[in-house]
Amino acid sequence: MLQRIFALARKEFIQIRRDKRTLAMMIFIPLLWLVLFGYAFSFDIDDLSVALVDLSGTETGAKVASAIREYERFDVIDLADATEAGIDDAFYRNQIKMAIFLPPGFGEAGSDVQMQVLLDGSDLFAAQTGARLIQSAMEPVQADMRLEATERFREELTSQLKAQAEVRTQALLEQVPPQLQPQLGQALAAATQAPAPSIDLGAIAPTPTAPELTILYNPDLKSAPVMIPGLLGMVVMFMTTLMTAMGVVREREHGTMEQLVVTPIRPFELMIGKIIPYFFVGVLDFALVYFAGVYLFDLTFAGNLPLFMGLSLLLVFTTLGLGLLLSTVAQNQQQAMQLAMMIVMPQVLVSGMIFPLTSLPKVIQYIAYLFPFTHYVPIAKGMFIKGQDLSLLWVPATVLAFYSVAVVTVASLRFRKRLG
Amino acid sequence: MSSPAIELIGVSKHFGAISAVSSIDLAVHPGELVGLVGPDGAGKTTLARLAAGALAPSEGRVEPESRGRVGYLSGRFSLYPDLTVWENLHFFAQVYGMTRTEAAAEGSRLLQWVGLDSFRDRLAGALSGGMRQKLALVCAVVHHPPTLILDEPTTAVDPIARAEFWRLLQEQARHGKAVLVTTPYLDEASYCDRVGLLHRGKLLAVGQATDLTQRLPYQMMMLTAQEAGGRPRRGELVAVAESLPGVVWTQPLGTGVRIALKGDRLPDSPAGYGLAPVASTLEDAYLWLSDYAAEVMKR
Amino acid sequence: MRLAIETKGLTRRFGEFTAVDQVSLQVAEGSVMGLLGPNGAGKTTLIRLLLGLLAPSGGEGWVLGHPLATEAEAIRQRAGYMSQRFSLYNDLTVAENLSFYGQVYGLRGSDLATRREELLGWAGLLDLQRSMAGELSGGLRQRLAFACAIMHRPPLLLLDEPTSGVDAVSRRKFWDLIYDLSDRGTTVLVTTHYMDEAEYCDQLGMVLAGRLVAAGTPNELRQAYGDGGGLDSVFVNLATAGKK
């Protein structure tokens, strides 16, 4: 039995080796996706084009404007038409993603005119980036302004206290008999000349309410560390499923399946013999994306690597089963490719790899949980980025294990039936 | 005989260094069914395409210019598998410029003629091999071309369907059409008025099948073992056959060995064996003309 | 005389449709048996039954002494099969194809290598052993497929339409190979719908609509049904009789 399986696997290896186009695909596509998902699908925008219109004419306004200008993530554009209408027009023409408008009256003492920040909602990521960044852009100004406000408050308080002290002193003097007035007056003047006791504003100054922001695990909010773990699974899923399916379908198309059926080869042996080479394909692609990803994007794997590899094997088995299942449905290689696409793409989109599960409508979420890949993503991300272990990930791991057994079982049943 | 509907005069065709056909002289007259027989690679398809005007000769000429007036049926005739029988026929009728009413009338008549009328609404992809060829045939003749050229229309079709198909072709010839058919099956030569034997791009001979067969300069005989039952030991039979005087070639066939013998004097049966004359076939003539003996006796 | 194949009333149904209908067949060891019939007559189903790939709906049969219903594995281990489409791996070399099929049938090591060399020589493919099977011409592919089918020295060889689409000279050479095997004791069963091929067989069986309508030597059939014509007349006559 082993020999027959070996003969089949060996034949399949030779065929894979000779199929230059598929070999290239095996290497080129994962790398292409790696680059796409790692670099191109970045959600951070480095140079946000921002228009700045300062009509305030105040010092505060100028301070804000200068802080904005100096903020390195903003690419400040001075509009030809520095008015509200000009801003609208610039948005319309896609010239800017964000605009900061300091209306007249902003920064004037006692004025409640607020600074306005406008964002282009048609570019989701830019808008979200802008909204997030404005905080840190305003940081230096706000610190200054706080300091200034405190100082002014202190001065104001001091002078008012002084004025009140003088009024009281005067009132007091009038109460005293005229012969004593000059003496009292001198004494009081001497007292008030003495340096005023320092006022501790700490007890009464408003507490800072702007939060100090710390981003854990992926401080630069780069997309690579978030995408690559999931990408590992995606690549394996696509390549293994597709190639396994094509390997079987090709046999059928060329008529050699008919010949195999009449040999002593049993259906089980045929299945295993077909799967083995593609198992190695899956592992190879996994390794390729892992090492390329770690190297190109300077990632570090935080968790237990052997455990991760073991759990990833579960995914490989599932996809092998999927490929077998596909082969019982597809009638030619072209169909196999189409079906593989149809199986992989939706899974990727709803699995939580790119868009968070919770951002999907509830119904879609439930559907997503039916897909095996959806359970691989938290494992990959959790282990890669946070170094989580089984104590946290046992649920998705169990589900994935269940899936791998279930899919392979169903696939082999159908496969056997199809052969007969 | 009237002037030919198609004539190939000294036609040769090269594809680069490869000569597909050379020095072909062939004429097909109206009302005549001519078969071109040869194995794969002999040049049948090339000749068919040259005759139909789908290919230009490297040398010689094809007369007359017959584009549009030829019904051409290639080996891989593309019927549309996802259209019905009727829709296919209608399509080809329209492509050849027939009006709707003409197409409908002719279409019905033709479908009845080939026995496909009750299958009008069946998808062409669901037809059996023989039926598909019949449909292909009617699609090729719907526009009444005076000349019909068919390239291997009966390959991989079972014998009953093949016999029927040839009867249809004979009818077409009787109605005055000039019909040229290529086929790898030598036995189909008997359906034709004249047959051309094609071998490696050359026409070995053209004529009536019976005439060609009679040209064979050898006597065909069959050697059999006289002991009944048991396993015929062919190795032995062949050795005995090859030792006969005047033997040109031997060919084991069934329980005996067929032998081609030269010379006037027929040898006597060797002891323990039976040796009897058998009729020569067109295949024997073909093998003689293509110098088969030289090829085979080399071993 | 020992029988390589024997069936009694062998039947196979697919739902309402009866593909093989009460076929009783006897094929003597070492003979060359031809099964003739049009496409769809049930020849392929019969072969699948004989190879134990399908279970009979009725009747019984034995191939090389093994009952069809219970010892299908043993049959497949000992019988050889060559299909209509010459199931070769186009992207493997001639030698690799032979090795693969040899391994599948249990040959290994030096036994495999020796047998492979032997067949390469026998089929005239020694010089081409490193060529891709896909590059070979029709006649050579046929020979390679044949060699692959006999790597394991099967006592019974089933050939399904082996010479369809092959020219007359190649066909003759192919039959030389078959006769060689037959002389050494191999039983050969050939299915075909090409009448000329029928002439090569010792015994013939005509299959129509799943039934075995006639059996005997080519001569016997010609005399009984030929009406003076050749085997195709036999065929047509039987077929038209069947339709009535």
Side-chain angles (χ1 to χ4, degrees), chain A residues 295-312:
Chain A
Y295 178 68
L296 272 179
F297 297 100
D298 214 13
L299 303 173
T300 26
F301 184 80
N304 182 346
L305 192 56
L307 179 63
F308 180 55
M309 279 166 35
L311 291 175
S312 302

Side-chain angles (χ1 to χ4, degrees), chain B residues 39-40 156 158-160 162 185 187 231-235 249 251-255 283 287 292 295 299, chain C residues 30 32 38-39 165 167 169 172-173 176 179 182-183 185 193-196 199-202 232 235 239:
Chain B
D40 286 344
D158 69 80
I160 300 179
R162 264 196 276 147
Y185 300 121
D187 62 337
R231 243 184 356 236
R233 285 187 297 274
R234 290 185 190 86
W249 74 66
Q251 186 225 337
L253 188 67
T255 46
E283 189 171 331
L287 290 172
Y292 168 69
E295 236 184 87
R299 69 175 152 100
Chain C
V32 179
N39 296 332
D167 65 275
V169 174
R172 287 202 175 194
K173 291 188 184 166
D176 283 344
Y179 284 141
S182 167
D183 277 355
H193 61 44
Y194 186 33
M195 289 308 120
D196 273 16
E199 300 275 2
Y200 287 87
C201 305
D202 300 335
D232 29 353
F235 197 87

Side-chain angles (χ1 to χ4, degrees), chain A residues 238 241-242 245 249 322 325-346:
Chain A
F238 183 62
T241 305
L242 177 64
V249 171
L322 268 178
L325 200 56
L326 262 189
S327 75
T328 61
V329 174
Q331 281 156 351
N332 54 50
Q333 293 195 55
Q334 198 186 24
Q335 276 186 13
M337 196 173 282
Q338 290 173 338
L339 285 171
M341 269 289 170
M342 270 170 52
I343 286 188
V344 172
M345 281 316 163

Side-chain angles (χ1 to χ4, degrees), chain A residues 3-4 6-11 14-19 250-267 419-420, chain C residues 48 51 53-54 73 76-77 79 81-85 87-93 96 99-108 132 149 160:
Chain A
Q3 195 200 321
R4 291 194 288 264
F6 177 72
L8 260 175
R10 185 161 169 273
K11 168 193 79 76
I14 298 179
Q15 286 180 298
I16 294 177
R17 190 167 40 94
R18 296 230 175 105
D19 187 355
R250 189 176 39 208
E251 191 101 46
R252 201 181 298 136
E253 270 189 333
H254 289 163
T256 45
M257 187 65 95
E258 192 186 321
Q259 189 74 38
L260 285 181
V261 161
V262 304
T263 64
I265 291 183
R266 297 201 188 86
L419 273 188
Chain C
R48 307 196 84 195
L51 283 169
L53 290 173
L54 290 175
E73 296 276 344
R76 283 208 288 283
Q77 181 69 46
Y81 174 71
M82 182 176 143
S83 82
Q84 198 174 13
R85 287 155 71 183
S87 319
L88 298 169
Y89 291 100
N90 289 335
D91 44 358
L92 294 183
T93 65
E96 281 165 353
S99 296
F100 171 66
Y101 281 109
Q103 281 181 313
V104 159
Y105 278 98
L107 293 175
R108 49 165 103 197
M132 293 291 150
D160 195 9

Side-chain angles (χ1 to χ4, degrees), chain C residues 24 30 56 63 67 72 79 85 92 107 113 119 123 127 130 144 147 162 171 188 196 201 209 242:
Chain C
S24 298
V63 173
R85 287 155 71 183
L92 294 183
L107 293 175
L119 284 178
D127 292 334
R130 264 185 269 283
L144 175 59
R171 189 153 40 89
V188 182
D196 273 16
C201 305

Side-chain angles (χ1 to χ4, degrees), chain A residues 161-372:
Chain A
L161 280 175
K162 234 186 172 170
Q164 283 188 6
E166 278 181 18
V167 167
R168 259 214 204 103
T169 315
Q170 214 44 41
L172 247 164
L173 278 176
E174 277 160 19
Q175 304 271 344
V176 167
Q179 333 53 309
L180 289 172
Q181 271 182 15
Q183 252 179 310
L184 191 57
Q186 275 176 5
L188 283 170
T192 51
Q193 297 293 4
S198 59
I199 300 179
D200 177 18
L201 282 175
I204 47 172
T207 44
T209 48
E212 186 185 312
L213 209 61
T214 310
I215 302 181
L216 303 165
Y217 298 115
N218 181 14
D220 294 327
L221 283 181
K222 292 233 163 292
S223 61
V226 175
M227 298 292 243
I228 303 243
L231 188 68
L232 276 171
M234 181 179 155
V235 163
V236 164
M237 199 168 55
F238 183 62
M239 296 309 300
T240 315
T241 305
L242 177 64
M243 293 194 63
T244 309
M246 297 227 307
V248 176
V249 171
R250 189 176 39 208
E251 191 101 46
R252 201 181 298 136
E253 270 189 333
H254 289 163
T256 45
M257 187 65 95
E258 192 186 321
Q259 189 74 38
L260 285 181
V261 161
V262 304
T263 64
I265 291 183
R266 297 201 188 86
F268 172 72
E269 296 167 2
L270 179 54
M271 235 174 55
I272 301 285
K274 275 283 177 191
I275 286 182
I276 288 180
Y278 299 113
F279 172 78
F280 284 108
V281 167
V283 169
L284 187 75
D285 273 332
F286 183 87
L288 182 68
V289 176
Y290 180 83
F291 286 114
V294 165
Y295 178 68
L296 272 179
F297 297 100
D298 214 13
L299 303 173
T300 26
F301 184 80
N304 182 346
L305 192 56
L307 179 63
F308 180 55
M309 279 166 35
L311 291 175
S312 302
L313 273 182
L314 287 178
L315 184 70
V316 173
F317 287 134
T318 311
T319 52
L320 285 172
L322 268 178
L324 265 185
L325 200 56
L326 262 189
S327 75
T328 61
V329 174
Q331 281 156 351
N332 54 50
Q333 293 195 55
Q334 198 186 24
Q335 276 186 13
M337 196 173 282
Q338 290 173 338
L339 285 171
M341 269 289 170
M342 270 170 52
I343 286 188
V344 172
M345 281 316 163
Q347 281 199 65
V348 168
L349 290 173
V350 305
S351 62
M353 176 179 146
I354 308 178
F355 312 111
L357 260 184
T358 43
S359 73
L360 299 170
K362 271 276 184 263
V363 181
I364 311 278
Q365 280 187 44
Y366 291 141
I367 296 180
Y369 280 117
L370 289 175
F371 298 140

